[in-house]
């Protein structure tokens, strides 16, 4: 639980100031150098260098973009669904609502599973955050936040705490206690402070750090104990709506999606964006890594879900149908990555065959928009939360 | 792609330089062919599909959500 995931790996002597700092790559007159973040910022803010004008920088950016597209296109030798033709088709699916969790007084906005595969935390527009036992549908804990629209909530890996936030611009951590005499709200700890609403939060591999995304266009990594900002991630041109951490075996990266239609992959240690994808036609509401960590899926207001492969550095599949015209609010993969569950604003959940690109099933049940969806940690079920005030567990 | 690039006045020098730096870094990346990446995604799926309870359903007795019995706790 106490293992530090935040390790400064790219660490050494800055080429400019020679101090021992975390380093990032910069280009000075086409030479590749390693600068610390302070020197990199100073260099970026410098006045124009010789032979540089704003126009020349812009045209350089345009030509680099063109070159990037060319490089990516060269490797586009086949489509995923073509490679997947030899895979057996999936059989008929019988998935039904097995549990309905009722108790929220208003729209359910977010939910998360506990690692024990049984408990669920959910948050809603009325400011309430509830912890449920999904087997029995009993409510185990409830706390009322001082703000409405609690848009993000997360369960700590240990199962001993939850984090939540929304219009209060903060992410707060509440330790969970079974002591009837203790007031949960009294032990609240404010960890993150943004300058706009909190849209998503997630603990890293331990209870010690939290990653947040905000309407202020940034993501940030915080130390829970001290509330200190460990790293911030700038690059989105508009509100960041979602984030997902890479599965632990594949390293310290995470992906975020925002209202600027971009999905960006970040290195948690250096704070740099390592890859960016801009093929969606509207806000990206949800991003989720493929279980192997080599790809991620996104759900957007443009009514499509897309799969991006990180090593091929491009979009490899689109999950859409002419009949689907409402935005996808939330996506998640099944355990093997073969199925993609997506909740839509037309009250339905579509189940997609990730490899073949076809829809295998459509699930009805909710009476309003599906706002959040997560598969349980052992893959036996998935839970969806909706604006109809309920959560449903499907299996 | 077009944000920040359309109007001359809003893009400051540092933003433009940062954008160029970012693109240079992204251009240097090592990429693999889609056929290779797709094959790896398929391989991962095939290796794990047997353990996926939503594709190969486990017997109802082992799936706590599909079980018919109701859970009661002894207080």
């Amino acid at each position: 639980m106490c293992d530090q995931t935040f390790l400064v790996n790219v660490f050494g002597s800055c080429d400019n100031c020679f101090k021992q700092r975390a380093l990032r790559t910069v280009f000075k007159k086409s030479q590749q150098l390693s600068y610390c973040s302070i020197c990199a910022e100073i260099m970026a803010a410098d006045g124009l260098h010789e032979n540089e004008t704003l126009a020349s920088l812009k045209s350089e950016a345009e030509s680099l973009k063109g070159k990037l597209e060319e490089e990516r296109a060269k490797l586009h030798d086949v489509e995923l669904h073509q490679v997947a033709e030899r895979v057996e088709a999936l059989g008929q699916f019988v998935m039904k609502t097995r549990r309905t969790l009722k108790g929220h007084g208003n729209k359910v906005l977010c939910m998360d599973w506990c690692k024990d595969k049984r408990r669920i935390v959910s948050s809603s527009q009325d400011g309430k955050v509830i912890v449920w036992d999904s087997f029995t549908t009993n409510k185990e804990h409830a706390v009322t936040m001082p703000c409405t629209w609690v848009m993000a909530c997360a369960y700590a890996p240990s199962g001993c705490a939850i984090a939540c936030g929304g219009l209060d611009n903060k992410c707060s951590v509440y330790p969970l206690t079974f002591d009837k005499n203790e007031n949960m709200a009294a032990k609240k700890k404010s960890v993150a402070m943004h300058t706009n609403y909190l849209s998503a939060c997630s603990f890293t591999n331990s209870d010690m750090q939290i990653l947040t995304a905000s309407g202020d266009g940034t993501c940030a990594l915080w130390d829970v104990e001290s509330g200190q900002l460990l790293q911030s991630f700038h690059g989105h041109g508009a509100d960041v709506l979602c984030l997902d951490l890479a599965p632990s075996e594949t390293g310290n990266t995470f992906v975020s999606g925002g209202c600027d239609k971009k999905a960006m992959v970040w290195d948690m240690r250096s704070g740099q964006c390592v890859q960016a994808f801009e093929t969606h036609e509207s806000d990206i509401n949800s991003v989720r890594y493929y279980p192997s960590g080599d790809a991620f899926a996104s759900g957007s207001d443009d009514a499509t879900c897309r799969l991006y492969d990180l090593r091929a550095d491009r979009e490899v599949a689109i999950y859409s149908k002419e009949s689907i015209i409402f935005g996808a609010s939330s996506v998640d993969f099944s355990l093997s990555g073969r199925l993609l569950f997506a909740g839509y604003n037309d009250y339905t959940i579509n189940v997609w065959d990730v490899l073949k690109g076809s829809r295998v099933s459509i699930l009805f049940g909710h009476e309003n928009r599906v706002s959040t969806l997560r598969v349980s940690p052992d893959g036996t079920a998935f839970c969806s939360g909706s604006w109809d005030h309920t959560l449903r567990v499907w299996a | 792609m077009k944000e920040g690039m359309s109007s001359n006045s809003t893009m400051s020098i540092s933003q433009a330089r940062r954008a160029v730096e970012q693109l240079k870094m992204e251009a240097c990346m090592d990429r693999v062919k889609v056929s290779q990446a797709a094959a790896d995604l398929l391989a991962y799926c095939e290796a794990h599909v047997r353990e996926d309870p939503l594709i190969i359903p486990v017997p109802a007795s082992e799936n706590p959500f599909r079980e018919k019995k109701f859970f009661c706790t002894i207080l």
Side-chain angles (χ1 to χ4, degrees):
Chain A
M1 216 82 58
C2 293
D3 50 317
Q4 281 283 13
T5 54
F6 178 66
L7 283 171
V8 179
N9 237 16
V10 184
F11 190 77
S13 177
C14 170
D15 284 339
N16 194 40
C17 63
F18 307 110
K19 298 208 175 112
Q20 289 290 314
R21 296 254 160 83
L23 302 177
R24 60 174 74 169
T25 314
V26 298
F27 290 89
K28 196 166 185 170
K29 296 199 193 336
S30 305
Q31 194 195 359
Q32 189 170 320
L33 299 165
S34 294
Y35 273 22
C36 67
S37 54
I38 299 169
C39 292
E41 279 307 305
I42 295 172
M43 195 190 96
D46 261 353
L48 290 164
H49 293 151
E50 261 183 53
N51 305 327
E52 245 183 25
T53 61
L54 195 58
S56 77
L57 278 172
K58 278 189 197 169
S59 67
E60 200 184 348
E62 285 304 319
S63 77
L64 277 168
K65 273 187 197 156
K67 186 171 157 217
L68 251 178
E69 281 313 306
E70 259 182 56
E71 291 292 314
R72 282 173 171 169
K74 271 187 214 168
L75 300 161
H76 190 198
D77 51 350
V78 79
E79 296 285 344
L80 174 62
H81 62 84
Q82 289 171 309
V83 176
E85 263 160 32
R86 63 173 182 81
V87 180
E88 253 181 61
L90 294 165
Q92 271 292 76
F93 278 94
V94 178
M95 256 180 261
K96 298 198 288 195
T97 301
R98 306 287 174 173
R99 302 282 191 281
T100 306
L101 305 178
K102 293 188 194 178
H104 275 295
N106 213 320
K107 308 177 173 68
V108 176
L109 301 174
C110 186
M111 56 92 25
D112 192 16
W113 286 89
C114 178
K115 283 211 163 49
D116 71 359
K117 312 152 214 164
R118 175 174 179 155
R119 286 177 179 79
I120 289 177
V121 63
S122 62
S123 64
S124 95
Q125 186 197 335
D126 64 357
K128 287 242 176 10
V129 177
I130 301 180
V131 176
W132 314 78
D133 175 342
S134 63
F135 290 1
T136 62
T137 75
N138 290 338
K139 299 178 203 31
E140 294 194 342
H141 299 91
V143 72
T144 307
M145 292 279 285
C147 66
T148 56
W149 288 90
V150 187
M151 291 175 257
C153 62
Y155 227 116
S158 66
C160 299
I162 54 165
C164 50
L167 284 187
D168 56 352
N169 300 358
K170 295 195 265 199
C171 184
S172 312
V173 175
Y174 290 86
L176 294 173
T177 169
F178 278 96
D179 188 342
K180 295 274 182 269
N181 297 326
E182 272 202 56
N183 179 9
M184 248 179 86
K187 296 264 175 172
K188 164 178 158 172
K189 182 185 282 221
S190 278
V191 175
M193 290 282 283
H194 278 281
T195 53
N196 209 328
Y197 65 90
L198 189 85
S199 54
C201 66
S202 174
F203 282 88
T204 59
N205 290 337
S206 75
D207 284 18
M208 304 286 110
Q209 286 162 17
I210 286 191
L211 195 55
T212 58
S214 165
D216 65 13
T218 69
C219 299
L221 180 68
W222 310 82
D223 176 84
V224 174
E225 199 52 51
S226 61
Q228 202 195 352
L229 173 66
L230 298 171
Q231 184 64 268
S232 68
F233 306 90
H234 296 255
H236 275 288
D239 305 20
V240 186
L241 297 179
C242 50
L243 61 82
D244 190 34
L245 275 138
S248 44
E249 307 85 46
T250 49
N252 294 332
T253 57
F254 73 95
V255 59
S256 65
C259 290
D260 57 356
K261 312 175 201 168
K262 285 206 275 200
M264 302 176 83
V265 182
W266 306 87
D267 178 329
M268 272 164 68
R269 295 162 297 188
S270 64
Q272 277 206 298
C273 168
V274 292
Q275 280 172 279
F277 304 89
E278 199 174 352
T279 60
H280 270 294
E281 291 162 20
S282 188
D283 302 1
I284 297 179
N285 297 313
S286 175
V287 286
R288 193 71 66 206
Y289 268 95
Y290 187 77
S292 70
D294 288 333
F296 69 91
S298 58
S300 159
D301 275 348
D302 65 6
T304 68
C305 297
R306 293 173 200 239
L307 185 71
Y308 297 91
D309 188 289
L310 294 171
R311 294 176 321 140
D313 191 34
R314 61 175 297 122
E315 173 191 296
V316 291
I318 304 186
Y319 308 101
S320 67
K321 261 180 136 51
E322 269 189 40
S323 52
I324 301 176
I325 55 171
F326 283 83
S329 60
S330 188
V331 299
D332 203 357
F333 285 100
S334 68
L335 207 69
S336 62
R338 183 69 194 269
L339 297 175
L340 180 71
F341 300 97
Y344 289 77
N345 292 342
D346 62 2
Y347 315 175
T348 66
I349 295 171
N350 287 300
V351 186
W352 300 91
D353 180 329
V354 171
L355 304 176
K356 293 191 186 279
S358 53
R359 178 172 68 183
V360 294
S361 188
I362 177 168
L363 302 172
F364 299 95
H366 279 295
E367 293 161 18
N368 206 322
R369 286 193 191 193
V370 178
S371 52
T372 178
L373 191 155
R374 294 294 288 262
V375 172
S376 76
D378 61 353
T380 50
F382 70 92
C383 179
S384 58
S386 160
W387 281 17
D388 68 4
H389 310 187
T390 68
L391 292 117
R392 283 172 183 251
V393 181
W394 308 76
Chain B
M1 296 279 181
K2 292 175 192 57
E3 47 99 22
M5 290 295 182
S6 46
S7 62
N8 284 320
S9 50
T10 53
M11 189 98 182
S12 69
I13 294 164
S14 62
Q15 274 180 304
R17 191 177 282 130
R18 225 168 301 182
V20 168
E21 295 290 331
Q22 180 64 32
L23 287 164
K24 275 188 180 154
M25 207 193 69
E26 286 180 26
C28 297
M29 200 193 130
D30 280 325
R31 293 176 188 83
V32 310
K33 285 199 173 165
V34 176
S35 49
Q36 174 67 47
D40 289 344
L41 289 175
L42 250 76
Y44 185 89
C45 248
E46 299 198 335
H48 290 86
V49 80
R50 251 155 292 281
E51 306 153 5
D52 191 335
L54 288 168
I55 296 186
I56 314 266
V58 294
S61 51
E62 284 173 40
N63 185 335
F65 294 107
R66 288 195 181 176
E67 269 186 323
K68 289 292 181 192
K69 75 172 203 275
F70 290 96
F71 283 80
C72 299
T73 48
I74 310 233
L75 293 165

